[in-house]
Short mmCIF file of all heavy atoms in Angstrom, two decimals:
data_model
loop_
_atom_site.label_atom_id
_atom_site.label_comp_id
_atom_site.label_asym_id
_atom_site.label_seq_id
_atom_site.Cartn_x
_atom_site.Cartn_y
_atom_site.Cartn_z
N MET A 1 84.82 80.27 98.19
CA MET A 1 85.82 79.63 98.90
C MET A 1 86.83 80.69 99.37
O MET A 1 87.83 80.89 98.75
CB MET A 1 86.50 78.60 98.02
CG MET A 1 85.59 77.51 97.56
SD MET A 1 86.31 76.13 96.75
CE MET A 1 87.19 76.81 95.53
N ASN A 2 86.52 81.23 100.49
CA ASN A 2 87.36 82.33 101.01
C ASN A 2 88.61 81.63 101.64
O ASN A 2 88.64 80.69 102.28
CB ASN A 2 86.63 83.01 102.16
CG ASN A 2 85.33 83.76 101.66
OD1 ASN A 2 85.28 84.02 100.50
ND2 ASN A 2 84.38 83.90 102.51
N ASN A 3 89.70 82.30 101.25
CA ASN A 3 91.06 81.79 101.73
C ASN A 3 91.28 80.31 101.42
O ASN A 3 91.91 79.65 102.22
CB ASN A 3 91.22 82.09 103.24
CG ASN A 3 91.13 83.61 103.51
OD1 ASN A 3 91.52 84.37 102.69
ND2 ASN A 3 90.52 83.88 104.64
N PHE A 4 90.77 79.88 100.28
CA PHE A 4 90.83 78.47 100.02
C PHE A 4 92.28 77.95 99.85
O PHE A 4 92.63 76.87 100.20
CB PHE A 4 89.99 78.18 98.80
CG PHE A 4 89.47 76.75 98.63
CD1 PHE A 4 88.61 76.31 99.59
CD2 PHE A 4 89.91 75.96 97.73
CE1 PHE A 4 88.17 75.03 99.62
CE2 PHE A 4 89.46 74.62 97.62
CZ PHE A 4 88.56 74.20 98.57
N THR A 5 93.08 78.86 99.33
CA THR A 5 94.53 78.37 98.98
C THR A 5 95.49 78.81 100.13
O THR A 5 96.64 78.43 100.07
CB THR A 5 94.96 78.95 97.64
OG1 THR A 5 94.94 80.37 97.78
CG2 THR A 5 94.16 78.39 96.54
N ASN A 6 95.08 79.53 101.09
CA ASN A 6 96.02 79.91 102.19
C ASN A 6 96.42 78.72 103.02
O ASN A 6 95.68 77.83 103.37
CB ASN A 6 95.28 80.94 103.12
CG ASN A 6 95.07 82.28 102.40
OD1 ASN A 6 95.60 82.48 101.38
ND2 ASN A 6 94.42 83.16 103.05
N GLN A 7 97.70 78.71 103.31
CA GLN A 7 98.17 77.61 104.18
C GLN A 7 97.82 77.81 105.61
O GLN A 7 97.58 76.85 106.29
CB GLN A 7 99.70 77.59 104.02
CG GLN A 7 100.19 77.14 102.73
CD GLN A 7 99.69 75.75 102.42
OE1 GLN A 7 99.74 74.86 103.26
NE2 GLN A 7 99.24 75.47 101.20
N GLN A 8 97.74 79.04 106.10
CA GLN A 8 97.36 79.23 107.46
C GLN A 8 96.36 80.51 107.54
O GLN A 8 96.37 81.29 106.68
CB GLN A 8 98.55 79.58 108.34
CG GLN A 8 99.47 78.41 108.51
CD GLN A 8 100.65 78.76 109.44
OE1 GLN A 8 100.95 79.93 109.58
NE2 GLN A 8 101.21 77.73 110.01
N ARG A 9 95.57 80.36 108.57
CA ARG A 9 94.57 81.49 108.74
C ARG A 9 94.83 82.00 110.24
O ARG A 9 94.86 81.15 111.15
CB ARG A 9 93.21 80.96 108.44
CG ARG A 9 92.20 81.86 108.81
CD ARG A 9 90.71 81.36 108.64
NE ARG A 9 90.71 80.12 107.87
CZ ARG A 9 89.59 79.40 107.71
NH1 ARG A 9 88.54 79.78 108.36
NH2 ARG A 9 89.60 78.31 107.03
N ALA A 10 94.79 83.24 110.48
CA ALA A 10 94.87 83.77 111.77
C ALA A 10 93.44 84.02 112.36
O ALA A 10 92.53 84.46 111.70
CB ALA A 10 95.55 85.11 111.80
N THR A 11 93.21 83.47 113.51
CA THR A 11 91.93 83.84 114.23
C THR A 11 92.22 84.45 115.48
O THR A 11 93.25 84.25 116.14
CB THR A 11 91.27 82.43 114.47
OG1 THR A 11 92.09 81.62 115.27
CG2 THR A 11 90.88 81.70 113.21
N SER A 12 91.28 85.34 115.86
CA SER A 12 91.45 86.08 117.09
C SER A 12 90.63 85.49 118.14
O SER A 12 89.43 85.16 117.97
CB SER A 12 91.03 87.52 116.86
OG SER A 12 91.08 88.26 118.13
N THR A 13 91.26 85.15 119.34
CA THR A 13 90.55 84.58 120.49
C THR A 13 90.99 85.27 121.72
O THR A 13 92.09 85.17 122.16
CB THR A 13 90.84 83.13 120.67
OG1 THR A 13 92.24 82.90 120.66
CG2 THR A 13 90.28 82.22 119.40
N GLY A 14 90.08 86.13 122.25
CA GLY A 14 90.37 86.74 123.43
C GLY A 14 91.48 87.72 123.41
O GLY A 14 92.33 87.72 124.29
N GLY A 15 91.75 88.45 122.27
CA GLY A 15 92.81 89.39 122.21
C GLY A 15 94.10 88.81 121.73
O GLY A 15 95.10 89.50 121.50
N ARG A 16 94.24 87.47 121.49
CA ARG A 16 95.50 86.89 121.03
C ARG A 16 95.22 86.27 119.73
O ARG A 16 94.03 85.96 119.34
CB ARG A 16 95.99 85.75 122.00
CG ARG A 16 95.07 84.68 122.25
CD ARG A 16 95.63 83.75 123.43
NE ARG A 16 94.59 82.85 123.66
CZ ARG A 16 94.75 81.52 123.61
NH1 ARG A 16 95.86 80.96 123.26
NH2 ARG A 16 93.70 80.76 123.81
N THR A 17 96.19 86.06 118.98
CA THR A 17 96.10 85.53 117.49
C THR A 17 96.65 84.16 117.49
O THR A 17 97.84 83.91 118.00
CB THR A 17 96.68 86.43 116.50
OG1 THR A 17 96.11 87.73 116.59
CG2 THR A 17 96.54 85.90 115.12
N GLU A 18 95.90 83.21 116.98
CA GLU A 18 96.44 81.88 116.77
C GLU A 18 96.48 81.50 115.33
O GLU A 18 95.64 81.94 114.57
CB GLU A 18 95.44 80.81 117.44
CG GLU A 18 95.37 80.94 118.92
CD GLU A 18 94.34 79.94 119.58
OE1 GLU A 18 93.68 79.21 118.73
OE2 GLU A 18 94.23 79.94 120.75
N ASN A 19 97.47 80.69 114.91
CA ASN A 19 97.60 80.15 113.54
C ASN A 19 96.87 78.85 113.47
O ASN A 19 97.19 78.05 114.34
CB ASN A 19 99.05 80.17 113.05
CG ASN A 19 99.51 81.54 112.74
OD1 ASN A 19 98.73 82.43 112.41
ND2 ASN A 19 100.80 81.71 112.93
N ARG A 20 96.09 78.65 112.53
CA ARG A 20 95.36 77.38 112.37
C ARG A 20 95.54 76.93 110.89
O ARG A 20 95.41 77.68 109.96
CB ARG A 20 93.92 77.51 112.60
CG ARG A 20 93.15 76.28 112.65
CD ARG A 20 91.79 76.48 113.14
NE ARG A 20 91.14 77.69 112.56
CZ ARG A 20 89.84 77.91 112.64
NH1 ARG A 20 89.07 77.13 113.21
NH2 ARG A 20 89.33 78.97 112.11
N LEU A 21 95.93 75.68 110.74
CA LEU A 21 96.15 75.14 109.33
C LEU A 21 94.93 75.09 108.60
O LEU A 21 93.83 74.71 109.13
CB LEU A 21 96.77 73.74 109.41
CG LEU A 21 98.20 73.68 109.84
CD1 LEU A 21 98.72 72.25 109.95
CD2 LEU A 21 99.13 74.45 108.90
N GLU A 22 94.88 75.46 107.34
CA GLU A 22 93.71 75.41 106.50
C GLU A 22 93.55 73.85 106.15
O GLU A 22 94.47 73.10 106.11
CB GLU A 22 94.03 76.16 105.20
CG GLU A 22 92.85 76.34 104.34
CD GLU A 22 91.87 77.28 104.92
OE1 GLU A 22 92.25 78.30 105.62
OE2 GLU A 22 90.67 77.14 104.67
N ARG A 23 92.32 73.51 105.96
CA ARG A 23 91.99 72.08 105.62
C ARG A 23 92.61 71.73 104.30
O ARG A 23 92.63 72.38 103.38
CB ARG A 23 90.53 71.93 105.52
CG ARG A 23 89.94 72.13 107.05
CD ARG A 23 88.55 71.84 107.14
NE ARG A 23 88.28 70.45 106.80
CZ ARG A 23 87.07 69.86 106.85
NH1 ARG A 23 86.10 70.59 107.28
NH2 ARG A 23 86.88 68.61 106.57
N LEU A 24 93.08 70.42 104.27
CA LEU A 24 93.71 69.80 103.11
C LEU A 24 92.71 69.15 102.19
O LEU A 24 92.82 69.01 101.04
CB LEU A 24 94.83 68.90 103.48
CG LEU A 24 95.98 69.57 104.23
CD1 LEU A 24 96.92 68.41 104.62
CD2 LEU A 24 96.64 70.53 103.35
N ALA A 25 91.60 68.62 102.84
CA ALA A 25 90.57 67.84 102.15
C ALA A 25 89.20 68.10 102.76
O ALA A 25 89.12 68.41 103.97
CB ALA A 25 90.96 66.37 102.19
N TYR A 26 88.28 67.75 101.96
CA TYR A 26 86.82 67.98 102.35
C TYR A 26 85.99 66.74 102.06
O TYR A 26 86.25 66.07 101.12
CB TYR A 26 86.24 69.21 101.65
CG TYR A 26 86.80 70.47 102.01
CD1 TYR A 26 87.97 70.90 101.39
CD2 TYR A 26 86.34 71.30 103.02
CE1 TYR A 26 88.65 72.09 101.70
CE2 TYR A 26 86.94 72.42 103.41
CZ TYR A 26 88.06 72.88 102.73
OH TYR A 26 88.68 74.03 103.07
N SER A 27 85.02 66.46 102.86
CA SER A 27 84.04 65.38 102.60
C SER A 27 83.20 65.89 101.43
O SER A 27 83.17 67.00 101.05
CB SER A 27 83.18 65.11 103.85
OG SER A 27 82.29 66.27 104.06
N VAL A 28 82.40 64.98 100.89
CA VAL A 28 81.51 65.28 99.72
C VAL A 28 80.52 66.39 100.11
O VAL A 28 80.46 67.35 99.35
CB VAL A 28 80.83 63.98 99.14
CG1 VAL A 28 79.76 64.39 98.22
CG2 VAL A 28 81.86 63.07 98.56
N PRO A 29 79.82 66.32 101.20
CA PRO A 29 78.89 67.40 101.50
C PRO A 29 79.68 68.76 101.71
O PRO A 29 79.16 69.76 101.26
CB PRO A 29 78.25 66.99 102.82
CG PRO A 29 78.39 65.44 102.78
CD PRO A 29 79.67 65.19 102.26
N GLU A 30 80.84 68.74 102.37
CA GLU A 30 81.53 70.03 102.58
C GLU A 30 82.06 70.52 101.25
O GLU A 30 81.99 71.78 101.00
CB GLU A 30 82.74 69.76 103.49
CG GLU A 30 82.31 69.35 104.95
CD GLU A 30 83.46 68.90 105.70
OE1 GLU A 30 84.49 68.27 105.15
OE2 GLU A 30 83.36 69.03 106.97
N ALA A 31 82.53 69.69 100.35
CA ALA A 31 83.12 70.07 99.15
C ALA A 31 81.98 70.59 98.18
O ALA A 31 82.18 71.69 97.55
CB ALA A 31 83.78 68.90 98.39
N SER A 32 80.85 69.93 98.16
CA SER A 32 79.76 70.48 97.24
C SER A 32 79.28 71.82 97.76
O SER A 32 78.99 72.61 96.96
CB SER A 32 78.59 69.47 97.26
OG SER A 32 78.01 69.31 98.44
N ALA A 33 79.24 72.01 99.13
CA ALA A 33 78.79 73.30 99.61
C ALA A 33 79.81 74.40 99.35
O ALA A 33 79.50 75.57 99.00
CB ALA A 33 78.55 73.19 101.12
N ALA A 34 81.12 74.04 99.41
CA ALA A 34 82.25 74.94 99.17
C ALA A 34 82.15 75.52 97.76
O ALA A 34 82.45 76.74 97.53
CB ALA A 34 83.57 74.33 99.58
N ILE A 35 81.82 74.67 96.76
CA ILE A 35 81.90 75.12 95.38
C ILE A 35 80.53 75.39 94.75
O ILE A 35 80.38 75.87 93.67
CB ILE A 35 82.73 74.19 94.49
CG1 ILE A 35 82.10 72.83 94.46
CG2 ILE A 35 84.19 74.15 94.96
CD1 ILE A 35 82.77 71.89 93.35
N GLY A 36 79.56 75.22 95.64
CA GLY A 36 78.12 75.58 95.17
C GLY A 36 77.42 74.75 94.25
O GLY A 36 76.68 75.16 93.33
N ILE A 37 77.71 73.35 94.36
CA ILE A 37 77.01 72.43 93.50
C ILE A 37 76.46 71.34 94.38
O ILE A 37 76.82 71.23 95.56
CB ILE A 37 77.94 71.72 92.45
CG1 ILE A 37 79.01 70.84 93.09
CG2 ILE A 37 78.51 72.78 91.46
CD1 ILE A 37 79.88 70.17 92.09
N GLY A 38 75.53 70.55 93.86
CA GLY A 38 74.89 69.51 94.70
C GLY A 38 75.85 68.24 94.77
O GLY A 38 76.78 68.04 94.04
N LYS A 39 75.53 67.44 95.80
CA LYS A 39 76.28 66.20 95.98
C LYS A 39 76.23 65.25 94.83
O LYS A 39 77.19 64.70 94.43
CB LYS A 39 75.85 65.53 97.27
CG LYS A 39 76.12 66.23 98.57
CD LYS A 39 75.76 65.51 99.78
CE LYS A 39 74.24 65.32 99.94
NZ LYS A 39 73.77 64.65 101.08
N THR A 40 75.02 65.23 94.19
CA THR A 40 74.91 64.28 93.14
C THR A 40 75.83 64.69 91.99
O THR A 40 76.42 63.82 91.31
CB THR A 40 73.37 64.32 92.66
OG1 THR A 40 72.59 63.85 93.68
CG2 THR A 40 73.19 63.33 91.41
N LYS A 41 75.91 66.00 91.61
CA LYS A 41 76.82 66.48 90.57
C LYS A 41 78.19 66.20 90.95
O LYS A 41 79.05 65.87 90.12
CB LYS A 41 76.57 67.97 90.35
CG LYS A 41 77.41 68.56 89.34
CD LYS A 41 77.22 67.92 87.96
CE LYS A 41 78.05 68.55 86.92
NZ LYS A 41 77.82 67.86 85.59
N LEU A 42 78.54 66.43 92.27
CA LEU A 42 79.99 66.21 92.69
C LEU A 42 80.27 64.68 92.46
O LEU A 42 81.39 64.37 91.98
CB LEU A 42 80.14 66.60 94.16
CG LEU A 42 81.52 66.70 94.61
CD1 LEU A 42 82.35 67.80 93.98
CD2 LEU A 42 81.66 66.86 96.10
N TYR A 43 79.39 63.79 92.90
CA TYR A 43 79.64 62.39 92.72
C TYR A 43 79.83 62.02 91.19
O TYR A 43 80.61 61.20 90.83
CB TYR A 43 78.50 61.54 93.32
CG TYR A 43 78.68 61.30 94.79
CD1 TYR A 43 77.75 61.71 95.69
CD2 TYR A 43 79.79 60.57 95.34
CE1 TYR A 43 77.87 61.46 97.04
CE2 TYR A 43 79.96 60.31 96.69
CZ TYR A 43 79.00 60.76 97.53
OH TYR A 43 79.16 60.55 98.93
N ALA A 44 79.01 62.65 90.36
CA ALA A 44 79.05 62.43 88.88
C ALA A 44 80.50 62.87 88.40
O ALA A 44 81.06 62.18 87.57
CB ALA A 44 77.99 63.22 88.23
N LEU A 45 81.04 63.97 88.88
CA LEU A 45 82.31 64.41 88.55
C LEU A 45 83.43 63.44 88.96
O LEU A 45 84.40 63.14 88.28
CB LEU A 45 82.60 65.86 89.07
CG LEU A 45 81.77 66.96 88.51
CD1 LEU A 45 82.02 68.23 89.32
CD2 LEU A 45 82.10 67.17 87.02
N ILE A 46 83.22 62.82 90.12
CA ILE A 46 84.19 61.84 90.69
C ILE A 46 84.14 60.60 89.84
O ILE A 46 85.14 59.98 89.38
CB ILE A 46 83.93 61.57 92.08
CG1 ILE A 46 84.21 62.85 92.97
CG2 ILE A 46 84.67 60.37 92.60
CD1 ILE A 46 83.75 62.76 94.49
N THR A 47 82.90 60.08 89.61
CA THR A 47 82.71 58.79 88.85
C THR A 47 83.16 58.97 87.40
O THR A 47 83.56 58.07 86.73
CB THR A 47 81.41 58.17 88.98
OG1 THR A 47 80.42 59.07 88.57
CG2 THR A 47 81.05 57.80 90.45
N GLY A 48 82.99 60.17 86.92
CA GLY A 48 83.28 60.45 85.48
C GLY A 48 84.85 60.71 85.32
O GLY A 48 85.29 60.90 84.21
N GLY A 49 85.65 60.66 86.37
CA GLY A 49 87.00 60.84 86.23
C GLY A 49 87.48 62.31 86.14
O GLY A 49 88.68 62.54 85.89
N VAL A 50 86.59 63.18 86.37
CA VAL A 50 86.98 64.65 86.28
C VAL A 50 87.62 65.06 87.54
O VAL A 50 88.49 65.85 87.60
CB VAL A 50 85.70 65.51 85.98
CG1 VAL A 50 86.00 66.95 85.96
CG2 VAL A 50 85.12 65.05 84.63
N LEU A 51 87.04 64.65 88.64
CA LEU A 51 87.50 65.14 89.95
C LEU A 51 88.07 63.89 90.79
O LEU A 51 87.45 62.98 91.18
CB LEU A 51 86.33 65.68 90.80
CG LEU A 51 86.64 66.32 92.13
CD1 LEU A 51 87.67 67.44 92.04
CD2 LEU A 51 85.39 66.75 92.80
N PRO A 52 89.39 63.97 91.17
CA PRO A 52 89.97 62.92 91.97
C PRO A 52 89.44 62.98 93.34
O PRO A 52 89.11 64.02 93.88
CB PRO A 52 91.46 63.23 91.91
CG PRO A 52 91.67 64.31 91.00
CD PRO A 52 90.36 65.01 90.68
N SER A 53 89.35 61.77 93.94
CA SER A 53 89.04 61.73 95.39
C SER A 53 89.71 60.50 95.89
O SER A 53 90.33 59.66 95.23
CB SER A 53 87.50 61.59 95.53
OG SER A 53 87.03 60.27 95.07
N THR A 54 89.66 60.35 97.23
CA THR A 54 90.26 59.16 97.87
C THR A 54 89.31 58.70 99.07
O THR A 54 88.63 59.48 99.56
CB THR A 54 91.63 59.59 98.43
OG1 THR A 54 92.29 58.45 98.87
CG2 THR A 54 91.58 60.58 99.59
N LEU A 55 89.44 57.43 99.27
CA LEU A 55 88.76 56.81 100.38
C LEU A 55 89.70 56.66 101.53
O LEU A 55 90.80 56.01 101.39
CB LEU A 55 88.13 55.52 100.00
CG LEU A 55 86.74 55.58 99.21
CD1 LEU A 55 86.42 54.08 98.81
CD2 LEU A 55 85.72 56.17 100.04
N ILE A 56 89.32 57.05 102.68
CA ILE A 56 89.96 56.78 103.93
C ILE A 56 88.99 56.07 104.89
O ILE A 56 88.01 56.77 105.31
CB ILE A 56 90.62 58.05 104.57
CG1 ILE A 56 91.63 58.63 103.62
CG2 ILE A 56 91.24 57.63 105.87
CD1 ILE A 56 92.27 59.89 104.07
N GLY A 57 89.06 54.77 104.89
CA GLY A 57 88.00 54.01 105.66
C GLY A 57 86.90 54.03 104.75
O GLY A 57 86.91 53.67 103.59
N LYS A 58 85.77 54.42 105.30
CA LYS A 58 84.55 54.58 104.48
C LYS A 58 84.20 56.00 104.06
O LYS A 58 83.31 56.30 103.39
CB LYS A 58 83.31 54.10 105.27
CG LYS A 58 83.38 52.59 105.59
CD LYS A 58 82.19 52.17 106.40
CE LYS A 58 82.25 50.76 106.74
NZ LYS A 58 81.05 50.20 107.44
N ARG A 59 85.15 56.87 104.39
CA ARG A 59 84.94 58.33 104.16
C ARG A 59 85.65 58.70 102.82
O ARG A 59 86.82 58.55 102.65
CB ARG A 59 85.39 59.17 105.28
CG ARG A 59 85.20 60.60 105.18
CD ARG A 59 85.53 61.31 106.48
NE ARG A 59 85.45 62.74 106.18
CZ ARG A 59 85.11 63.60 107.09
NH1 ARG A 59 84.94 63.21 108.37
NH2 ARG A 59 85.05 64.88 106.84
N ARG A 60 84.91 59.28 101.96
CA ARG A 60 85.44 59.85 100.72
C ARG A 60 85.83 61.24 100.90
O ARG A 60 85.02 62.12 101.35
CB ARG A 60 84.37 59.75 99.51
CG ARG A 60 84.96 60.27 98.26
CD ARG A 60 84.21 59.78 97.06
NE ARG A 60 84.12 58.32 96.89
CZ ARG A 60 85.03 57.45 96.36
NH1 ARG A 60 86.16 57.94 96.03
NH2 ARG A 60 84.81 56.21 96.36
N LEU A 61 87.05 61.65 100.47
CA LEU A 61 87.63 62.90 100.63
C LEU A 61 88.10 63.51 99.36
O LEU A 61 88.58 62.72 98.50
CB LEU A 61 88.71 62.97 101.63
CG LEU A 61 88.41 62.51 103.02
CD1 LEU A 61 89.67 62.52 103.97
CD2 LEU A 61 87.46 63.60 103.69
N ILE A 62 87.92 64.89 99.20
CA ILE A 62 88.43 65.51 97.88
C ILE A 62 89.38 66.56 98.42
O ILE A 62 89.13 67.35 99.28
CB ILE A 62 87.26 66.21 97.23
CG1 ILE A 62 86.19 65.13 96.80
CG2 ILE A 62 87.76 66.98 96.07
CD1 ILE A 62 85.01 65.03 97.57
N ARG A 63 90.58 66.51 97.78
CA ARG A 63 91.55 67.52 98.17
C ARG A 63 91.15 68.94 97.78
O ARG A 63 90.57 69.19 96.83
CB ARG A 63 92.94 67.19 97.48
CG ARG A 63 93.57 65.97 97.87
CD ARG A 63 94.84 65.61 97.18
NE ARG A 63 94.99 66.30 95.94
CZ ARG A 63 96.15 66.83 95.46
NH1 ARG A 63 97.18 66.83 96.11
NH2 ARG A 63 96.15 67.42 94.25
N ALA A 64 91.51 69.84 98.63
CA ALA A 64 91.21 71.29 98.46
C ALA A 64 91.93 71.74 97.16
O ALA A 64 91.25 72.54 96.42
CB ALA A 64 91.72 72.10 99.69
N ALA A 65 93.06 71.27 96.84
CA ALA A 65 93.72 71.71 95.67
C ALA A 65 92.96 71.26 94.47
O ALA A 65 92.90 71.95 93.47
CB ALA A 65 95.19 71.16 95.72
N ASP A 66 92.38 70.06 94.46
CA ASP A 66 91.62 69.56 93.37
C ASP A 66 90.33 70.34 93.16
O ASP A 66 89.91 70.54 92.03
CB ASP A 66 91.39 68.09 93.54
CG ASP A 66 92.63 67.28 93.29
OD1 ASP A 66 93.53 67.64 92.65
OD2 ASP A 66 92.73 66.06 93.94
N LEU A 67 89.69 70.71 94.21
CA LEU A 67 88.46 71.58 94.10
C LEU A 67 88.76 72.92 93.51
O LEU A 67 88.10 73.42 92.62
CB LEU A 67 87.85 71.75 95.47
CG LEU A 67 87.04 70.59 96.11
CD1 LEU A 67 86.71 70.93 97.44
CD2 LEU A 67 85.92 70.19 95.27
N GLU A 68 89.93 73.46 93.96
CA GLU A 68 90.30 74.84 93.31
C GLU A 68 90.69 74.67 91.85
O GLU A 68 90.24 75.48 91.08
CB GLU A 68 91.47 75.37 94.09
CG GLU A 68 91.78 76.75 93.63
CD GLU A 68 92.76 77.47 94.50
OE1 GLU A 68 92.64 77.40 95.71
OE2 GLU A 68 93.67 78.16 93.98
N ALA A 69 91.28 73.56 91.47
CA ALA A 69 91.62 73.33 90.18
C ALA A 69 90.40 73.13 89.28
O ALA A 69 90.23 73.55 88.14
CB ALA A 69 92.56 72.06 89.98
N LEU A 70 89.41 72.45 89.86
CA LEU A 70 88.13 72.22 89.18
C LEU A 70 87.46 73.49 88.87
O LEU A 70 87.00 73.81 87.69
CB LEU A 70 87.17 71.35 90.01
CG LEU A 70 85.78 71.09 89.42
CD1 LEU A 70 85.93 70.20 88.19
CD2 LEU A 70 84.96 70.50 90.46
N ILE A 71 87.29 74.38 89.85
CA ILE A 71 86.59 75.66 89.60
C ILE A 71 87.34 76.68 88.74
O ILE A 71 86.79 77.49 88.23
CB ILE A 71 86.08 76.30 90.91
CG1 ILE A 71 87.21 76.72 91.80
CG2 ILE A 71 85.07 75.34 91.56
CD1 ILE A 71 86.78 77.51 92.97
N SER A 72 88.71 76.53 88.68
CA SER A 72 89.51 77.40 87.90
C SER A 72 89.75 76.92 86.45
O SER A 72 90.36 77.44 85.67
CB SER A 72 90.80 77.63 88.58
OG SER A 72 91.62 76.50 88.63
N GLY A 73 89.14 75.57 86.23
CA GLY A 73 89.26 75.05 84.86
C GLY A 73 90.58 74.36 84.60
O GLY A 73 90.86 74.11 83.45
N ARG A 74 91.30 74.08 85.59
CA ARG A 74 92.67 73.43 85.40
C ARG A 74 92.65 71.85 85.42
O ARG A 74 93.58 71.26 85.16
CB ARG A 74 93.63 73.91 86.41
CG ARG A 74 94.02 75.40 86.18
CD ARG A 74 95.03 75.86 87.22
NE ARG A 74 94.23 75.96 88.48
CZ ARG A 74 94.87 75.90 89.67
NH1 ARG A 74 96.13 75.74 89.79
NH2 ARG A 74 94.06 76.04 90.75
N LEU A 75 91.49 71.27 85.81
CA LEU A 75 91.43 69.82 85.84
C LEU A 75 90.93 69.30 84.57
O LEU A 75 90.11 69.83 83.92
CB LEU A 75 90.40 69.38 86.93
CG LEU A 75 90.81 69.20 88.31
CD1 LEU A 75 89.78 68.66 89.22
CD2 LEU A 75 91.99 68.32 88.51
N GLU A 76 91.59 68.18 84.12
CA GLU A 76 91.22 67.54 82.86
C GLU A 76 90.77 66.23 83.17
O GLU A 76 91.11 65.54 84.18
CB GLU A 76 92.42 67.47 81.94
CG GLU A 76 92.91 68.85 81.49
CD GLU A 76 94.15 68.76 80.67
OE1 GLU A 76 94.44 67.58 80.14
OE2 GLU A 76 94.88 69.80 80.41
N ARG A 77 89.86 65.70 82.30
CA ARG A 77 89.24 64.31 82.48
C ARG A 77 90.48 63.29 82.56
O ARG A 77 91.41 63.37 81.82
CB ARG A 77 88.33 63.96 81.31
CG ARG A 77 87.75 62.58 81.48
CD ARG A 77 86.70 62.43 80.39
NE ARG A 77 85.56 63.41 80.50
CZ ARG A 77 84.55 63.22 81.25
NH1 ARG A 77 84.43 62.14 81.97
NH2 ARG A 77 83.57 64.14 81.28
N ALA A 78 90.32 62.37 83.55
CA ALA A 78 91.34 61.38 83.64
C ALA A 78 91.44 60.51 82.46
O ALA A 78 90.45 60.18 81.85
CB ALA A 78 91.07 60.53 84.95
N ALA A 79 92.64 60.06 82.09
CA ALA A 79 92.80 59.23 80.96
C ALA A 79 92.43 57.79 81.26
O ALA A 79 92.37 57.32 82.24
CB ALA A 79 94.28 59.22 80.47
#
């Protein structure tokens, strides 16, 4: 997860630099790819109360901060 916690990232386009906001949340396929686990395991972490997620419409999103906490061992099972 390169630059996962950075608020902004500079990108170069045609000799100029633009600031682009880092993503705040990821879909299940994006999140599983970002941390290197399968979608089934990610869903198991969500349903087991280990990884928080939210539904917006029909789309399930996982916050970038929660993914980072998961891989750094700072997330605890929900009570």
